[in-house]
Amino acid sequence: MYGAQQAAGAPVPHAARPGAYPGAGWQQPNQPWGPPPAAARPRRRGLGVLVGSSAAAVIALVALAASILMVATTPREEPRPTGTDLSARYDERLDARPNAVEVDLVDHPLYGASAPEPVDCSTPELDMNSDESWEEFATASGVCLDELWAPTLEGMGLSVEPLEFAVTQDSPDADGAEGYTLAYYESDLARITVVLPNVRHMGAQIPARHREDVWLALMGHEYGHHVQHVTGILTISHDLRWNAGSEEDELDTLRRTELQAECMAGVGLRGITGADEETLEAVNAHFNSGGDLDTHGSAGNRAFWLEQGWSEPTMDGCNTYGAEPGQVT
C-alpha cells in the first residue's frame, strides 16, 4: 500500500411356490372283469417338449446376448482427420519460459516519453462534508487522470484498466506515526482510497478557492503510484526496500518512490487544470508544507518535485531514482 501523507427403496417379494404336475396321485379304479390285454404304456411327452422348448429358448437368448456383446465391445473405427496437419509447423521454442522483463529504475523507457498533453476534463464541485461528494470527486478526478496518462502508457505498449475509487472513515496510520495519511493506493485491488477524517482535518486549513486544486494534486500523487505499478517501477522499488541492507537504504528507496509520485502529481495538476504559477505555489504551500517526513522527503524536496512534474517537457524530469542524494532527502 502506498499513500500520500501529511506531516503531523421397496421390499423384494418372495418367489411363488411351484404347482404340482396335472393329475398327480390319480389311480385307475377297480373293474369287475378281468384285466384287459396288456397295452403299451403311453409315452409322457409333455415334459420333454417343455424341456426341449426351454433349451431352445435359452440357446436363442445366449446367441442374442453374444451378438449384443459383440456389438457393444467391438471398437468403432476412429475418424480419419481431414484437416491440415500442423505438427510439422510446431516450434519447440514455444515450450521455453519467456524471458524476464528487466526494469531499470534509473534508465527506464518512461523517462524518454514526452510529458502528457493537457486534457479538457472537468471535476464536480466538492462538498467537504459529504461522503458521496468526496467519492464522486475522486472518481471524476480518476477519469481525467486516465485520459491524461493513456497516450503515454499506450505509447509504451501498456494497456491499463481503469482504477476503482473509494472513501473510508478508517485511518491506516499506526499510533505515533510521523504524519497522517490522506489517501492510499492498493496495486492488488487497483484502487485508490481517500481517508475522509484526515482530508477534512487538513481541508479546514486550506482556503476554499484552493481546496480542489490541492485534492487534484493528492489524486495525481496516488495515480502516480499506479503509473509506477503498470510500468514495473513499483515492483522493483518494493524489492529493493525488502532486500535493503539497512534502514537508511530502505528509506532512501521509499523517498525516491514517493517523490517520483509527487512529481507525477505535478504532471496531473498541469494536465487537468492548466494551472498557472500562482496555483502551483498555492498547492505547494498547502500540500507540501508542514514539515519533513522520513518516508516522503523534506518539505522543500516535495515542493521541488511537484514543480518538476508541472514544468518539465519530458518524463525524465521525474527520474528521482537517478537524482542526487540531496534531492531525495
Side-chain angles (χ1 to χ4, degrees):
M1 181 178 73
Y2 289 81
Q5 286 194 327
Q6 179 66 18
V12 178
H14 294 289
R17 178 186 175 190
Y21 287 102
W26 180 84
Q27 293 180 348
Q28 184 179 19
N30 292 326
Q31 299 179 6
W33 54 83
R41 178 176 295 180
R43 295 176 64 185
R44 301 178 67 182
R45 299 175 58 193
L47 180 59
V49 172
L50 180 60
V51 170
S53 300
S54 299
V58 169
I59 292 172
L61 288 173
V62 170
L64 177 60
S67 64
I68 293 174
L69 181 62
M70 289 176 65
V71 171
T73 60
T74 301
R76 296 183 179 181
E77 183 180 355
E78 291 293 333
R80 296 180 179 179
T82 58
T84 303
D85 182 8
L86 299 178
S87 61
R89 303 182 183 182
Y90 184 76
D91 190 339
E92 293 183 355
R93 289 176 297 177
L94 296 175
D95 292 333
R97 295 174 61 88
N99 294 328
V101 177
E102 296 184 3
V103 178
D104 190 330
L105 296 183
V106 178
D107 190 20
H108 194 282
L110 175 64
Y111 307 141
S114 298
E117 293 292 330
V119 294
D120 185 9
C121 189
S122 60
T123 56
E125 185 176 351
L126 175 63
D127 179 359
M128 286 273 295
N129 298 315
S130 169
D131 293 10
E132 292 77 12
S133 180
W134 266 109
E135 189 166 4
E136 182 182 358
F137 179 85
T139 300
S141 300
V143 170
C144 291
L145 288 163
D146 280 336
E147 184 179 346
L148 177 72
W149 283 100
T152 300
L153 298 176
E154 289 172 358
M156 298 176 63
L158 300 172
S159 178
V160 183
E161 294 295 326
L163 285 173
E164 177 185 345
F165 294 85
V167 296
T168 183
Q169 296 287 347
D170 300 322
S171 175
D173 300 319
D175 293 339
E178 62 174 355
Y180 53 92
T181 300
L182 301 171
Y184 54 88
Y185 168 67
E186 298 167 283
S187 60
D188 54 337
L189 300 176
R191 182 172 65 194
I192 292 173
T193 302
V194 178
V195 184
L196 295 181
N198 294 346
V199 293
R200 284 174 176 148
H201 174 77
M202 178 177 171
Q205 306 168 44
I206 303 172
R209 68 182 185 276
H210 295 311
R211 286 175 184 164
E212 291 182 8
D213 291 331
V214 170
W215 303 136
L216 275 172
L218 171 64
M219 300 308 298
H221 177 104
E222 298 308 324
Y223 200 95
H225 287 312
H226 183 53
V227 173
Q228 291 174 324
H229 172 65
V230 299
T231 56
I233 292 174
L234 198 59
T235 300
I236 301 303
S237 170
H238 179 271
D239 290 345
L240 287 174
R241 290 173 53 203
W242 183 264
N243 296 304
S246 65
E247 182 180 5
E248 182 180 354
D249 290 342
E250 179 182 359
L251 284 172
D252 178 76
T253 300
L254 179 56
R255 283 194 300 271
R256 291 176 188 271
T257 302
E258 292 294 345
L259 289 170
Q260 184 175 78
E262 190 64 12
C263 184
M264 294 176 179
V267 173
L269 183 64
R270 179 193 62 189
I272 295 176
T273 68
D276 53 22
E277 289 191 14
E278 182 181 354
T279 301
L280 175 66
E281 291 174 1
V283 170
N284 256 331
H286 298 288
F287 190 52
N288 284 322
S289 61
D292 301 339
L293 297 167
D294 288 340
T295 57
H296 287 61
S298 66
N301 280 334
R302 297 199 304 271
F304 169 78
W305 288 106
L306 182 74
E307 185 173 353
Q308 281 284 103
W310 180 83
S311 62
E312 291 298 309
T314 70
M315 290 307 301
D316 189 53
C318 291
N319 187 1
T320 56
Y321 295 98
E324 296 296 326
Q327 294 177 319
V328 290
T329 56

